[in-house]
Amino acid sequence: MIIAVSSDEYGQLVEQLFHQLQKRGHEIIYFGPESGEDSQDWPVVTQKAIDEVVQGHADEAIVMCWTGTGCSIVANKINGIRAALCLDAQTAEGARIWNHANVLALSQRVTSPAILKEILDAWFGTPLSSDQWNITQIDRVNALDENRKSD
């Protein structure tokens, strides 16, 4: 898979995420500062990563900021994106099953290396649900995007 990654600050979580993604065989497209560079604006780097998904250059995205809240808000402003802020593996699993989330938002403040691995295991190990009830819910969410387009 090709994963677009964004972060407003370069820190340990970025390095750990890169390591985990490469270990799993994913290709990374990164938006954000490199090691030793100043921080960048989280709305800007998040949108760049999300644009990669929308344009079909990336399969999914993982976006990060200090709390994870800001980047998840930005991501969810874009039609077709279902971003989930996941602080644990159970939330990541549920986001895939019930919400068909295609963007994972992470908090740089609270995500430890062990929790990151658990979240990624759940995220990549959980298929999107195909049962009719969940499909109906996703159709309802997608209809919200369509309503926004017609306004």
Side-chain angles (χ1 to χ4, degrees):
M1 248 195 230
I2 300 172
I3 310 293
V5 173
S6 69
S7 180
D8 58 342
E9 294 181 0
Y10 192 93
Q12 278 189 326
L13 186 62
V14 174
E15 291 178 3
Q16 293 161 0
L17 178 62
F18 288 169
H19 173 74
Q20 284 292 326
L21 292 175
Q22 290 165 344
K23 198 164 103 172
R24 295 162 195 268
H26 299 297
E27 183 180 330
I28 301 164
I29 304 170
Y30 176 63
F31 299 95
E34 299 294 332
S35 180
E37 292 181 351
D38 290 339
S39 64
Q40 296 181 12
D41 293 338
W42 52 267
V44 173
V45 295
T46 300
Q47 184 174 0
K48 287 178 181 179
I50 297 309
D51 286 346
E52 292 295 307
V53 176
V54 170
Q55 295 169 9
H57 301 142
D59 300 297
E60 295 182 355
I62 299 176
V63 296
M64 298 177 283
C65 64
W66 187 242
T67 64
T69 305
C71 61
S72 65
I73 290 170
V74 169
N76 281 315
K77 292 281 187 181
I78 308 302
N79 286 342
I81 297 299
R82 290 177 305 281
L85 173 56
C86 297
L87 302 179
D88 58 57
Q90 292 76 25
T91 304
E93 182 179 356
R96 298 294 274 187
I97 294 170
W98 300 309
N99 311 125
H100 288 199
N102 56 2
V103 173
L104 172 61
L106 296 171
S107 167
Q108 291 181 9
R109 185 180 71 81
V110 300
T111 308
S112 70
I115 295 298
L116 174 64
K117 183 182 180 314
E118 291 174 7
I119 289 171
L120 294 176
D121 286 345
W123 184 265
F124 292 117
T126 304
L128 305 181
S129 172
S130 60
D131 73 78
Q132 191 53 55
W133 184 85
N134 281 317
I135 297 299
T136 299
Q137 307 318 304
I138 298 307
D139 288 345
R140 289 181 173 140
V141 172
N142 290 339
L144 296 172
D145 285 343
E146 293 304 316
N147 290 340
R148 259 196 270 174
K149 288 179 191 175
S150 65
D151 287 345

Short mmCIF file of all heavy atoms in Angstrom, two decimals, residues 81-103:
data_model
loop_
_atom_site.label_atom_id
_atom_site.label_comp_id
_atom_site.label_asym_id
_atom_site.label_seq_id
_atom_site.Cartn_x
_atom_site.Cartn_y
_atom_site.Cartn_z
N ILE A 81 -13.35 11.47 2.67
CA ILE A 81 -12.40 11.10 3.72
C ILE A 81 -13.16 10.79 4.99
O ILE A 81 -14.06 11.52 5.40
CB ILE A 81 -11.38 12.23 3.96
CG1 ILE A 81 -10.54 12.47 2.69
CG2 ILE A 81 -10.50 11.93 5.16
CD1 ILE A 81 -9.73 11.28 2.22
N ARG A 82 -12.79 9.69 5.61
CA ARG A 82 -13.33 9.30 6.91
C ARG A 82 -12.13 9.06 7.82
O ARG A 82 -11.54 7.98 7.83
CB ARG A 82 -14.21 8.05 6.77
CG ARG A 82 -15.52 8.35 6.05
CD ARG A 82 -16.38 7.12 5.83
NE ARG A 82 -15.67 6.05 5.13
CZ ARG A 82 -15.48 6.01 3.81
NH1 ARG A 82 -15.92 6.99 3.05
NH2 ARG A 82 -14.85 5.00 3.26
N ALA A 83 -11.75 10.11 8.53
CA ALA A 83 -10.59 10.06 9.42
C ALA A 83 -11.03 9.71 10.83
O ALA A 83 -12.05 10.19 11.31
CB ALA A 83 -9.86 11.41 9.42
N ALA A 84 -10.23 8.87 11.48
CA ALA A 84 -10.51 8.47 12.85
C ALA A 84 -9.30 8.74 13.73
O ALA A 84 -8.19 8.28 13.41
CB ALA A 84 -10.87 6.99 12.90
N LEU A 85 -9.51 9.49 14.79
CA LEU A 85 -8.47 9.71 15.79
C LEU A 85 -8.46 8.48 16.68
O LEU A 85 -9.45 8.18 17.37
CB LEU A 85 -8.76 10.97 16.61
CG LEU A 85 -7.86 11.23 17.81
CD1 LEU A 85 -6.39 11.27 17.42
CD2 LEU A 85 -8.29 12.52 18.49
N CYS A 86 -7.38 7.74 16.65
CA CYS A 86 -7.29 6.48 17.39
C CYS A 86 -6.18 6.56 18.44
O CYS A 86 -5.02 6.78 18.11
CB CYS A 86 -7.03 5.31 16.44
SG CYS A 86 -8.37 5.07 15.25
N LEU A 87 -6.58 6.38 19.68
CA LEU A 87 -5.63 6.38 20.78
C LEU A 87 -5.34 4.97 21.29
O LEU A 87 -4.51 4.79 22.17
CB LEU A 87 -6.15 7.24 21.94
CG LEU A 87 -6.47 8.70 21.59
CD1 LEU A 87 -7.00 9.44 22.80
CD2 LEU A 87 -5.24 9.41 21.02
N ASP A 88 -6.06 3.99 20.72
CA ASP A 88 -5.85 2.60 21.11
C ASP A 88 -6.27 1.68 19.97
O ASP A 88 -6.91 2.10 19.01
CB ASP A 88 -6.63 2.26 22.38
CG ASP A 88 -8.11 2.51 22.24
OD1 ASP A 88 -8.74 1.93 21.33
OD2 ASP A 88 -8.67 3.29 23.04
N ALA A 89 -5.90 0.42 20.09
CA ALA A 89 -6.16 -0.57 19.04
C ALA A 89 -7.65 -0.84 18.86
O ALA A 89 -8.11 -1.05 17.73
CB ALA A 89 -5.42 -1.86 19.35
N GLN A 90 -8.41 -0.83 19.93
CA GLN A 90 -9.84 -1.12 19.82
C GLN A 90 -10.56 -0.05 19.00
O GLN A 90 -11.44 -0.35 18.20
CB GLN A 90 -10.49 -1.25 21.21
CG GLN A 90 -10.06 -2.47 21.98
CD GLN A 90 -8.65 -2.34 22.57
OE1 GLN A 90 -8.14 -1.24 22.82
NE2 GLN A 90 -7.99 -3.47 22.77
N THR A 91 -10.17 1.20 19.18
CA THR A 91 -10.76 2.29 18.40
C THR A 91 -10.37 2.15 16.93
O THR A 91 -11.20 2.35 16.05
CB THR A 91 -10.33 3.65 18.95
OG1 THR A 91 -10.68 3.73 20.34
CG2 THR A 91 -10.99 4.79 18.20
N ALA A 92 -9.13 1.78 16.66
CA ALA A 92 -8.68 1.58 15.28
C ALA A 92 -9.47 0.45 14.62
O ALA A 92 -9.90 0.57 13.47
CB ALA A 92 -7.19 1.28 15.24
N GLU A 93 -9.67 -0.63 15.34
CA GLU A 93 -10.43 -1.76 14.79
C GLU A 93 -11.87 -1.34 14.50
O GLU A 93 -12.40 -1.62 13.42
CB GLU A 93 -10.41 -2.92 15.79
CG GLU A 93 -11.14 -4.14 15.30
CD GLU A 93 -11.08 -5.30 16.29
OE1 GLU A 93 -10.41 -5.18 17.33
OE2 GLU A 93 -11.73 -6.32 16.01
N GLY A 94 -12.49 -0.66 15.43
CA GLY A 94 -13.87 -0.20 15.23
C GLY A 94 -13.98 0.79 14.09
O GLY A 94 -14.96 0.78 13.33
N ALA A 95 -12.99 1.66 13.95
CA ALA A 95 -13.01 2.65 12.87
C ALA A 95 -12.98 1.98 11.50
O ALA A 95 -13.59 2.46 10.56
CB ALA A 95 -11.82 3.61 13.01
N ARG A 96 -12.28 0.87 11.41
CA ARG A 96 -12.24 0.13 10.15
C ARG A 96 -13.55 -0.62 9.91
O ARG A 96 -14.11 -0.56 8.83
CB ARG A 96 -11.07 -0.85 10.15
CG ARG A 96 -9.73 -0.16 10.27
CD ARG A 96 -9.42 0.68 9.10
NE ARG A 96 -8.79 -0.16 8.10
CZ ARG A 96 -8.27 0.28 6.99
NH1 ARG A 96 -8.30 1.56 6.71
NH2 ARG A 96 -7.73 -0.52 6.13
N ILE A 97 -14.03 -1.32 10.93
CA ILE A 97 -15.23 -2.14 10.76
C ILE A 97 -16.46 -1.27 10.54
O ILE A 97 -17.18 -1.44 9.56
CB ILE A 97 -15.45 -3.05 11.99
CG1 ILE A 97 -14.34 -4.09 12.10
CG2 ILE A 97 -16.81 -3.74 11.92
CD1 ILE A 97 -14.35 -4.87 13.41
N TRP A 98 -16.74 -0.38 11.47
CA TRP A 98 -18.01 0.35 11.47
C TRP A 98 -18.00 1.62 10.66
O TRP A 98 -19.04 2.09 10.22
CB TRP A 98 -18.42 0.67 12.91
CG TRP A 98 -18.61 -0.56 13.73
CD1 TRP A 98 -19.37 -1.65 13.41
CD2 TRP A 98 -18.04 -0.83 14.99
NE1 TRP A 98 -19.28 -2.59 14.40
CE2 TRP A 98 -18.47 -2.11 15.40
CE3 TRP A 98 -17.19 -0.13 15.83
CZ2 TRP A 98 -18.09 -2.69 16.59
CZ3 TRP A 98 -16.82 -0.70 17.03
CH2 TRP A 98 -17.27 -1.97 17.39
N ASN A 99 -16.82 2.23 10.51
CA ASN A 99 -16.74 3.54 9.85
C ASN A 99 -16.03 3.52 8.51
O ASN A 99 -15.99 4.53 7.83
CB ASN A 99 -16.06 4.55 10.77
CG ASN A 99 -16.62 4.56 12.16
OD1 ASN A 99 -15.88 4.39 13.12
ND2 ASN A 99 -17.93 4.73 12.30
N HIS A 100 -15.44 2.39 8.15
CA HIS A 100 -14.66 2.29 6.91
C HIS A 100 -13.66 3.44 6.81
O HIS A 100 -13.49 4.05 5.74
CB HIS A 100 -15.56 2.24 5.69
CG HIS A 100 -16.30 0.96 5.53
ND1 HIS A 100 -16.84 0.57 4.33
CD2 HIS A 100 -16.62 -0.02 6.40
CE1 HIS A 100 -17.44 -0.59 4.48
NE2 HIS A 100 -17.33 -0.97 5.73
N ALA A 101 -13.02 3.74 7.92
CA ALA A 101 -12.07 4.86 7.96
C ALA A 101 -10.92 4.62 6.98
O ALA A 101 -10.40 3.51 6.89
CB ALA A 101 -11.53 5.04 9.38
N ASN A 102 -10.56 5.67 6.26
CA ASN A 102 -9.45 5.57 5.32
C ASN A 102 -8.28 6.49 5.70
O ASN A 102 -7.28 6.55 4.99
CB ASN A 102 -9.92 5.85 3.88
CG ASN A 102 -10.62 7.19 3.71
OD1 ASN A 102 -10.75 7.97 4.65
ND2 ASN A 102 -11.08 7.46 2.50
N VAL A 103 -8.44 7.18 6.81
CA VAL A 103 -7.36 8.02 7.34
C VAL A 103 -7.26 7.78 8.85
O VAL A 103 -8.26 7.86 9.56
CB VAL A 103 -7.61 9.52 7.05
CG1 VAL A 103 -6.58 10.39 7.75
CG2 VAL A 103 -7.60 9.78 5.55
#
